[in-house]
Amino acid sequence: TQLLEQSPQFLSIQEGENLTVYCNSSSVFSSLQWYRQEPGEGPVLLVTVVTGGEVKKLKRLTFQFGDARKDSSLHITAAQPGDTGLYLCAGDWGYQKVTFGTGTKLQVIP
Amino acid sequence: SQTIHQWPATLVQPVGSPLSLECTVEGTSNPNLYWYRQAAGRGLQLLFYSVGIGQISSEVPQNLSASRPQDRQFILSSKKLLLSDSGFYLCAWDRGVYEQYFGPGTRLTVT
């Protein structure tokens, strides 16, 4: 079983602060996705990273895939209340299976 | 554009009762379909996936079953619900490139 551990599990910060969420595994993934989920809704895809060392930016969000394709990070600059939600990483290792991380619950306080 | 529907949105059922959750996808053909269960504020547990009509793979032994009677329809069922079946059930689809698109979910409470 492929496992993806996310840290921290919970994060409560003030509006305007920066934060980083980590997603780690002992397995190599072909690609890795990041999703954001709001309460009572399904996760929404934010980004996919495929190449080791790849960095992608989505406005104030920066996503990085580790060189060995076993880990990833999500950095948010100047967090806003609208960033509040559950952040999930997900890695694919073939065979029609995607493993989801344990989740990071982010609260941004105005 | 593609859309995915799930119903019902919420469900309260007594222990031992049957279950049927439905998921349909519009705007795409031959999608891969998935059922996940999510505990409060946590990650997703894959329950079933399907790559085509009548083709179901089970990930977790349990009293749940899934069926895919049509290309864009995926059904999650149980003959007798347990308390431990409570949770948030999500249906998702993809076209084989692992970027999944999720439905709005069904909140199931077994009492």
Side-chain angles (χ1 to χ4, degrees):
Chain A
T1 303
Q2 315 300 317
L3 296 176
L4 276 172
E5 294 289 334
Q6 287 185 237
S7 61
Q9 186 176 349
F10 299 100
L11 195 54
S12 182
I13 61 172
Q14 294 292 130
E15 181 176 359
E17 292 183 354
N18 301 332
L19 67 117
T20 301
V21 176
Y22 299 92
C23 174
N24 294 291
S25 173
S26 58
S27 303
V28 175
F29 290 96
S30 300
S31 70
L32 192 139
Q33 290 79 41
W34 283 94
Y35 296 81
R36 180 170 64 215
Q37 183 181 21
E38 300 194 14
E41 300 181 8
V44 175
L45 179 68
L46 296 174
V47 78
T48 294
V49 285
V50 178
T51 306
E54 182 177 5
V55 177
K56 282 192 174 179
K57 291 190 176 184
L58 185 65
K59 296 183 181 179
R60 295 174 294 99
L61 280 61
T62 301
F63 304 87
Q64 184 163 8
F65 202 12
D67 291 341
R69 291 187 287 125
K70 293 183 178 181
D71 57 271
S72 181
S73 63
L74 157 61
H75 182 78
I76 301 179
T77 303
Q80 300 177 1
D83 296 325
T84 293
L86 179 68
Y87 288 82
L88 295 162
C89 62
D92 88 79
W93 47 284
Y95 309 105
Q96 299 315 129
K97 293 181 182 180
V98 170
T99 298
F100 277 82
T102 49
T104 294
K105 194 169 184 179
L106 171 65
Q107 181 185 33
V108 181
I109 302 167
Chain B
S1 63
Q2 300 86 6
T3 56
I4 179 169
H5 304 278
Q6 282 185 249
W7 63 89
T10 60
L11 193 58
V12 180
Q13 293 282 95
V15 168
S17 63
L19 173 73
S20 181
L21 303 181
E22 189 165 342
C23 170
T24 59
V25 181
E26 296 177 356
T28 188
S29 59
N30 198 31
N32 297 322
L33 295 172
Y34 304 83
W35 278 111
Y36 291 92
R37 179 168 58 203
Q38 183 179 31
R42 301 296 289 162
L44 279 60
Q45 179 189 33
L46 179 62
L47 302 176
F48 300 95
Y49 67 93
S50 171
V51 299
I53 295 174
Q55 301 178 62
I56 308 294
S57 295
S58 173
E59 288 298 300
V60 181
Q62 63 218 324
N63 68 320
L64 299 173
S65 62
S67 63
R68 185 171 177 173
Q70 301 180 44
D71 181 47
R72 288 169 289 178
Q73 183 185 31
F74 206 21
I75 298 172
L76 182 69
S77 304
S78 174
K79 292 182 179 178
K80 288 186 178 182
L81 283 168
L82 306 172
L83 285 174
S84 58
D85 291 324
S86 293
F88 191 49
Y89 288 82
L90 288 157
C91 180
W93 72 273
D94 70 33
R95 290 303 306 274
V97 292
Y98 308 112
E99 295 178 337
Q100 297 191 351
Y101 299 91
F102 288 83
T106 295
R107 173 75 59 195
L108 172 66
T109 303
V110 183
T111 61

